[in-house]
């Protein structure tokens, strides 16, 4: 189900072969390289990360659009059951054979100052992404120009904090925006055949209509009991709904306390180890379309535990529950 390989053994096509053989994910061992990446991206005290920043700096660093998968810069995205993180996302590209590395965005606002990620860190990110990309492509498959995504995703420790951030995001919307927000909450609960595109939207509307919503939710509960994809253990809370990443692959590492990434294999959910010793590789939908590599359904879950008193929490939580993602698209 989960393969493992050393980074030095990443020869062209080796990841493609593992996924073609039925692996849902592959752990690439490279603790020293991850430590170097982490130091450059998470431990540079000159960089103010978005979850440390005032809201106006996040807004100034936002380079987005309606499609979150291609939005860059600093992002604040909280939608119950769909997404729940604060993030910093950059994209690297190298046009032409010997082109210079292009970084988008090239800098981040920090009050009256600007910060740019150090060149040697960006070059390392590109090198890692490029090495994984050649290992993901089957032998003989053409490699067109692609971008390397570098994302730092911050999840909350407390379930209550997720609730408050969800409420804050909803409160910033207008009346019809709030209606859509509530509809999306019901739509994301749809199970079984109600999950189909268009049908889930209809269910989301019906689930708010007095007189019929109880019946609609009752029918959905029946489907939920038979739908393995909707299963959640007691104390678990869905943060990011089951999805395929729209890229060739996602490589994940990080420091997590009560956040888990689950992969769906043979009709059941399994925890994927996200650590500082390995890059957990998940194939995405672009690899499925262009390389014929099976993509992996996954989700992000908050595991409820007894809340720690504030005085027992570490004073510096800059890197707590942070996931580093490197991928290509």
């Amino acid at each position: 189900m989960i393969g493992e390989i050393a980074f030095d053994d990443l020869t062209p096509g080796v990841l493609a072969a593992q996924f073609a053989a039925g692996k849902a994910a592959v752990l690439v061992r490279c603790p020293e390289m991850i430590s170097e990446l982490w130091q450059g991206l998470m431990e540079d005290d000159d960089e103010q990360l978005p979850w440390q920043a005032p809201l106006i700096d996040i807004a100034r660093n936002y380079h987005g659009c309606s499609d979150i998968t291609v939005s860059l810069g600093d992002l604040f995205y909280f939608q119950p059951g769909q997404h729940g993180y604060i993030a910093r996302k950059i994209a690297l590209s190298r046009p032409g054979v010997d082109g210079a590395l292009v970084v988008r965005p090239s800098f981040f606002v920090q009050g009256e100052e600007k910060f740019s990620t150090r060149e040697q860190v960006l070059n390392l990110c590109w090198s890692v992404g490029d090495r994984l990309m050649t290992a993901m492509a089957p032998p003989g498959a053409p490699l067109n120009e692609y971008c390397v995504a570098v994302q730092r995703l911050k999840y909350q420790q407390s379930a209550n904090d997720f609730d408050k951030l969800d409420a804050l995001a909803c409160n910033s919307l207008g009346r019809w925006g709030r209606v859509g927000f509530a509809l999306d909450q019901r739509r994301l609960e749809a199970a079984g055949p109600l999950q189909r595109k268009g049908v889930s939207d209809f269910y989301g509307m019906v689930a708010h209509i007095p007189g019929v919503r109880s019946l609609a939710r009752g029918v959905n509960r029946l489907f939920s009991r038979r739908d393995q994809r909707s299963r959640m253990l007691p104390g678990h809370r869905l943060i990011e709904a089951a999805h395929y990443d729209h890229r060739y692959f996602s490589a994940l590492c990080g420091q997590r306390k009560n956040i888990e990434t689950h992969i769906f294999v043979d009709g059941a959910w399994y925890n994927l180890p996200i650590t500082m010793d390995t890059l957990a590789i998940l194939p995405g939908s672009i690899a499925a379309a262009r390389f014929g590599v099976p993509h992996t359904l996954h989700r992000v879950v908050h595991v409820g535990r007894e809340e720690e008193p504030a005085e027992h929490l570490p004073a510096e939580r800059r890197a707590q529950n942070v996931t580093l993602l490197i991928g290509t698209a």
Side-chain angles (χ1 to χ4, degrees):
M1 179 173 62
I2 299 178
E4 189 166 347
I5 190 173
F7 188 86
D8 290 342
D9 294 331
L10 286 178
T11 54
V14 69
L15 287 177
Q18 291 228 18
F19 293 124
K23 301 299 184 185
V26 175
L27 304 180
V28 177
R29 299 188 306 275
C30 50
E32 295 84 4
M33 184 173 294
I34 290 173
S35 178
E36 188 176 354
L37 285 168
W38 196 260
Q39 185 176 7
L41 293 168
M42 292 301 304
E43 297 177 359
D44 187 341
D45 291 335
D46 291 337
E47 181 177 17
Q48 171 188 263
L49 292 168
W51 48 92
Q52 300 175 299
L55 185 59
I56 188 60
D57 279 1
I58 295 177
R60 288 167 177 164
N61 291 324
Y62 172 65
H63 301 269
C65 61
S66 59
D67 184 355
I68 191 173
T69 62
V70 296
S71 294
L72 295 173
D74 289 349
L75 301 170
F76 172 96
Y77 195 25
F78 287 86
Q79 184 180 355
Q82 185 68 38
H83 290 284
Y85 58 70
I86 303 170
R88 173 156 289 180
K89 301 183 179 183
I90 61 177
L92 310 177
S93 58
R94 199 183 290 277
V97 178
D98 298 314
L101 194 63
V102 177
V103 186
R104 296 179 292 125
S106 59
F107 66 85
F108 290 90
V109 174
Q110 299 183 169
E112 300 300 319
E113 302 177 347
K114 294 179 180 178
F115 175 86
S116 296
T117 305
R118 304 183 196 285
E119 185 177 359
Q120 63 268 29
V121 177
L122 296 173
N123 285 330
L124 179 59
C125 292
W126 175 267
S127 176
V128 172
D130 186 62
R131 181 72 174 270
L132 292 169
M133 184 63 180
T134 59
M136 176 63 71
L143 279 179
N144 300 322
E145 287 189 358
Y146 53 84
C147 293
V148 172
V150 181
Q151 303 182 359
R152 285 159 280 181
L153 311 174
K154 168 70 173 180
Y155 297 98
Q156 302 305 305
Q157 176 177 303
S158 163
N160 184 56
D161 285 347
F162 278 109
D163 289 335
K164 291 189 176 299
L165 286 164
D166 289 340
L168 179 65
C170 181
N171 189 61
S172 68
L173 302 172
R175 182 177 63 172
W176 286 108
R178 295 181 192 182
V179 171
F181 193 94
L183 188 152
D184 274 337
Q185 283 185 270
R186 297 281 80 82
R187 181 179 63 84
L188 289 167
E189 295 173 358
L194 298 180
Q195 289 180 328
R196 294 171 185 160
K197 189 175 181 179
V199 178
S200 62
D201 295 326
F202 180 73
Y203 168 76
M205 291 185 287
V206 171
H208 281 92
I209 299 175
V212 296
R213 60 189 175 195
S214 296
L215 176 61
R217 293 183 187 180
V219 170
N220 189 57
R221 281 194 295 271
L222 291 176
F223 288 131
S224 295
R225 296 192 186 107
R226 302 176 182 178
D227 185 2
Q228 296 296 327
R229 286 180 42 167
S230 300
R231 291 288 175 87
M232 296 287 291
L233 293 175
H236 286 200
R237 172 191 178 125
L238 187 64
I239 303 301
E240 292 191 33
H243 65 286
Y244 301 103
D245 286 344
H246 185 64
R247 55 177 66 96
Y248 287 101
F249 68 86
S250 298
L252 308 173
C253 64
Q255 293 183 354
R256 291 177 163 191
K257 184 177 178 65
N258 52 3
I259 296 293
E260 296 180 353
T261 293
H262 295 169
I263 56 176
F264 194 66
V265 183
D266 295 331
W269 290 104
Y270 297 89
N271 184 31
L272 177 67
I274 306 296
T275 71
M276 294 290 288
D277 295 321
T278 61
L279 291 171
I281 313 299
L282 294 172
S285 58
I286 299 180
R290 297 187 182 175
F291 297 156
V293 173
H295 50 182
T296 300
L297 188 70
H298 59 285
R299 68 185 185 185
V300 177
V301 171
H302 177 271
V303 180
R305 299 193 180 109
E306 184 177 347
E307 298 293 340
E308 297 181 70
E311 63 269 20
H312 294 164
L313 295 173
E316 177 54 68
R317 287 188 277 172
R318 173 185 173 103
Q320 188 179 92
N321 274 351
V322 173
T323 299
L324 170 61
L325 181 153
I326 294 179
T328 60

